[in-house]
Amino acid sequence: MKKKIIFLFTFILLSSFNFIESQTIDVWKIKADKIDASNYYGVTVANGMIGIVSSPEPFKIKDVVLAGAYDLYGRGRVSNFLRSFNLLNMQLSIDGKNIAASDAKNMQQELDMHHASFTTSFNYGDKADVSYTYYSLRQLPFTVLMDITITAKKDITIGGASVMEAPDALKEVQNYYNEIDRPHVVISLLTSTAKSPTGKLLMCASNTFLFSETHGQEPRVIHEMWDNNMHLMKFSKKVKAGETYRFSIAGSSITSAHHDDPLNEAERMTIFAKLEGRERLIKFHDQAWDELWKSDIVVEGDDQSQQDIHSMLYHLYSFVREGTALSPSPMGLSGLGYNGHVFWDTELWMYPSILVLHPEMAKSLVEYRFQRLEAAKRNAFNHGFKGAMFPWESAASGVEETPVWALSGPFEHHITACVGIAAWNYYCVTQDKEWLKEKGWQILKETADFWASRVERNGPGKYEIKNVVAADEWAENIDNDAFTNAAAKAVLQYATEAAKIIGVQADEDWMNVANNIPVLKFDDGTTKEHGTYHGEGIKQTDVNLLAYPLKEITDPKQIKKDLEYYSARVPNEGTPAMTQAIFTLLYSRLGDGEKAFHWFKDAYVPNLNPPFRVIAETKGGTNPYFSTGAGGIVQSVLMGFGGLEITPKGIIQIKSALPKQWKSLTIKGVGPEKKTFFVR
């Protein structure tokens, strides 16, 4: 009885909190009116290639993270994400005094999710009001922009300085300053290069001022070299009382992982941005985000949930980019968490939402795996298997990047099934037979061959998969994990179906294996997580994934039985956010909108960090932004409350239940045809 009372109280508390806050919430903007540097977790502005993480200090950036830039250094003897040059740090002085945090009064910060911009504003005594906004420009993958505005309250002299700083891990830093003088423009280029820790990569960054004055009237720029790791360019300007002065800084960052000539390319891209000009840069950036948001989730009646869903979608959109072969890590471009590696977090948790709303972006994630198929085949060979065995942690090359002390590297094999399922789902959503023939089939064939060789054939119904780390990672080196076995079955079935579609002969052994892989049961019929499971606590969902996304279990009574059993075995702390997201999805599909809403809130509200409601991996955690959790929760809205289902014929809608707090749910821009789905 006590458990029911606690559940009811928690639900009422969350509902009341939601109702109170929903009165004044902007569903597109997250505002911080009180900046506490001791309790501050930055929020990221990113364009799928370069991420900028906010700081509580005025004119400072916490991190600049560049997708695809890895090197061997630090923890684990494996390739890690690298911090890039901090190319947007700057200094602003008024009447000779540099503005520090203590000088910035009434500071406010705001993330505009609709147009992916971050604005800080404050008062500088009785002298000026200051604001600055930065963008990771969506139309230019390697280019960023900071726009600064000073409104003088009395006559002042301002000094602006753009500071280029190299992270400590980089070596052999070289600093350059050049001026390009043309009849119509003068371009001041502040540029730095450095080698990554092993010398594998050349990392380069460049920036320039964009002034509002006409040519010939702009301020004079002076270059100063401070030390090997930092240099700057600066100017000064007199501003009269009542006047507003605006200038901008545009910069680009790129490495030899992205371009054969990164030094010159960084400067060329910065020059391009300079001559595009501030207005055109922001215009095209805004247009690109307007296009992205044509695929949106609209909740009527609950502004806080709407804002949170927008935040999750915003981060997923920010961490992925069309036209690449890159794939997001669990923390996206919000920092160096998980070394920037790619796990099942992508294929099972982030990818499905992106696939449904933006298949053209999801294609980049599948392309990432396709381009690393040969490395996966070598990995299978090394372990005595056929086909392709994808690494648990992947970085640039596609070899195994899990630190050796983590057993998940050699044993968490379900990742290979997740990659195959993602390839099949891409075909299902897009119906692109040419892609299936050229690329999808290769992924499906090789992953199916892996599972056919991976099983141990111990008689009918006992083609067992032994000695794995389960999807529930607290279960190490166990046999017949429910999710691993069911996911392997799914890949073997999908590969067989794909062969029919493209007109090739499937290996007959694939379905023989699929039909003999066991999914274990307890005596009472509850699905058993693995061969030696006896009811202990679980780190994250495993069995419940057999209902969604695997469709191995379809009987509602069985789904409910498994759901009630395993949802009681997740501890309050130490488990990742996507677990509760699956409970949300399944309860909604079972018609229980209120239990679904409880788990929806429980998936992320206890994980939020100030001041921008950024999601950490676990309740009370401090490692945001956890885009894996965001992906799972968005799935719970799309495929749970929204009832969307990916089938071999495309996306359909099945029955689901909304919470009473939501009057309606509208999902816009779904699939290649950009359909709209409603739930009322």
Side-chain angles (χ1 to χ4, degrees), residues 48 67-68 70 81 315-321 324-333 337-338 340-347 349-351 354 361-362 364-366 368-369 394 627-628:
Y70 297 92
F81 251 1
H315 281 90
L316 291 176
Y317 289 174
S318 296
F319 296 157
V320 177
R321 189 171 186 90
T324 72
L326 297 173
S327 197
S329 79
M331 301 304 176
L333 295 173
Y338 285 106
H341 292 172
V342 181
F343 300 71
W344 78 316
D345 300 57
T346 299
E347 278 77 18
W349 300 106
M350 292 181 261
Y351 171 81
I354 298 165
M361 290 166 63
S364 295
L365 281 55
V366 189
Y368 171 84
R369 295 297 191 182
S394 181
S627 53
T628 307

Side-chain angles (χ1 to χ4, degrees), residues 478-527:
I478 49 82
D479 299 340
N480 293 317
D481 167 55
F483 177 73
T484 303
N485 284 21
K489 287 180 67 174
V491 167
L492 291 160
Q493 292 163 354
Y494 297 157
T496 302
E497 289 185 52
K500 294 176 186 175
I501 292 167
I502 64 172
V504 299
Q505 184 65 43
D507 188 332
E508 292 181 0
D509 189 45
W510 291 345
M511 287 307 298
N512 169 49
V513 173
N515 291 332
N516 284 287
I517 294 176
V519 173
L520 306 180
K521 300 280 188 181
F522 285 112
D523 291 341
D524 70 351
T526 303
T527 305

Side-chain angles (χ1 to χ4, degrees), residues 23-68:
Q23 307 305 303
T24 57
I25 288 166
D26 187 327
V27 300
W28 285 109
K29 294 179 179 178
I30 304 176
K31 302 176 183 179
D33 295 328
K34 294 185 175 73
I35 308 298
D36 179 2
S38 65
N39 191 28
Y40 182 99
Y41 298 86
V43 71
T44 307
V45 167
N47 63 5
M49 187 64 72
I50 186 167
I52 311 166
V53 186
S54 71
S55 167
E57 299 291 317
F59 298 110
K60 294 292 185 288
I61 303 298
K62 178 180 181 288
D63 275 323
V64 177
V65 181
L66 198 57

Side-chain angles (χ1 to χ4, degrees), residues 102-411:
S102 58
D103 302 314
K105 304 303 181 186
N106 303 313
M107 181 185 278
Q108 298 181 351
Q109 293 184 324
E110 178 181 282
L111 174 69
D112 179 348
M113 296 179 288
H114 193 272
H115 286 134
S117 64
F118 185 83
T119 299
T120 300
S121 59
F122 58 87
N123 312 124
Y124 182 63
D126 62 352
K127 292 189 174 184
D129 294 330
V130 180
S131 72
Y132 60 94
T133 302
Y134 57 75
Y135 311 79
S136 185
L137 294 168
R138 189 76 197 190
Q139 76 277 26
L140 299 174
F142 299 97
T143 304
V144 297
L145 177 73
M146 181 180 280
D147 196 38
I148 305 99
T149 302
I150 303 105
T151 299
K153 297 178 181 177
K154 55 177 63 175
D155 292 356
I156 57 174
T157 300
I158 66 167
S162 176
V163 181
M164 182 77 74
E165 192 168 2
D168 291 339
L170 304 187
K171 64 180 190 177
E172 297 181 32
V173 178
Q174 298 290 322
N175 295 321
Y176 307 89
Y177 178 74
N178 292 292
E179 283 193 358
I180 299 173
D181 193 351
R182 292 288 186 272
H184 65 297
V185 68
V186 174
I187 305 171
S188 304
L189 286 173
L190 187 74
T191 304
S192 291
T193 70
K195 290 185 178 177
S196 60
T198 69
K200 172 185 173 184
L201 296 182
L202 180 63
M203 307 189 69
C204 305
S206 180
N207 69 19
T208 189
F209 286 122
L210 283 68
F211 293 117
S212 53
E213 293 90 342
T214 58
H215 178 54
Q217 303 299 312
E218 63 267 63
R220 178 173 171 244
V221 176
I222 299 171
H223 177 243
E224 288 186 359
M225 184 74 72
W226 282 34
D227 59 36
N228 286 339
N229 278 16
M230 190 182 92
H231 64 140
L232 61 82
M233 58 182 179
K234 65 181 185 178
F235 71 94
S236 64
K237 175 80 176 181
K238 294 184 183 297
V239 184
K240 292 183 178 180
E243 289 183 349
T244 295
Y245 183 68
R246 165 178 274 155
F247 68 97
S248 305
I249 298 169
S252 303
S253 183
I254 194 167
T255 79
S256 54
H258 309 96
H259 197 275
D260 291 339
D261 183 12
L263 169 57
N264 287 325
E265 189 65 11
E267 293 192 335
R268 291 187 191 104
M269 290 187 298
T270 297
I271 292 168
F272 180 85
K274 164 84 170 182
L275 295 178
E276 278 283 88
R278 170 192 170 275
E279 288 77 14
R280 284 171 60 82
L281 291 174
I282 296 173
K283 172 187 172 183
F284 293 137
H285 169 82
D286 288 352
Q287 287 176 354
W289 273 95
D290 287 340
E291 194 64 29
L292 285 176
W293 284 115
K294 287 181 180 177
S295 296
D296 191 14
I297 297 170
V298 180
V299 174
E300 183 187 5
D302 182 352
D303 286 348
Q304 186 58 70
S305 291
Q306 175 69 89
Q307 186 196 64
D308 292 337
I309 291 166
H310 273 159
S311 179
M312 295 173 210
L313 267 181
Y314 160 81
H315 281 90
L316 291 176
Y317 289 174
S318 296
F319 296 157
V320 177
R321 189 171 186 90
E322 179 184 358
T324 72
L326 297 173
S327 197
S329 79
M331 301 304 176
L333 295 173
S334 70
L336 309 187
Y338 285 106
N339 299 334
H341 292 172
V342 181
F343 300 71
W344 78 316
D345 300 57
T346 299
E347 278 77 18
L348 204 79
W349 300 106
M350 292 181 261
Y351 171 81
S353 300
I354 298 165
L355 175 61
V356 163
L357 295 173
H358 281 288
E360 75 284 358
M361 290 166 63
K363 190 175 186 179
S364 295
L365 281 55
V366 189
E367 183 66 19
Y368 171 84
R369 295 297 191 182
F370 177 76
Q371 291 191 11
R372 289 154 183 81
L373 187 58
E374 289 303 315
K377 289 166 72 173
R378 291 193 297 272
N379 194 29
F381 176 81
N382 292 353
H383 288 82
F385 303 124
K386 295 180 180 178
M389 175 181 170
F390 282 91
W392 177 242
E393 299 188 32
S394 181
S397 68
V399 303
E400 182 62 73
E401 298 276 7
T402 306
V404 294
W405 46 260
L407 300 185
S408 49
F411 295 105

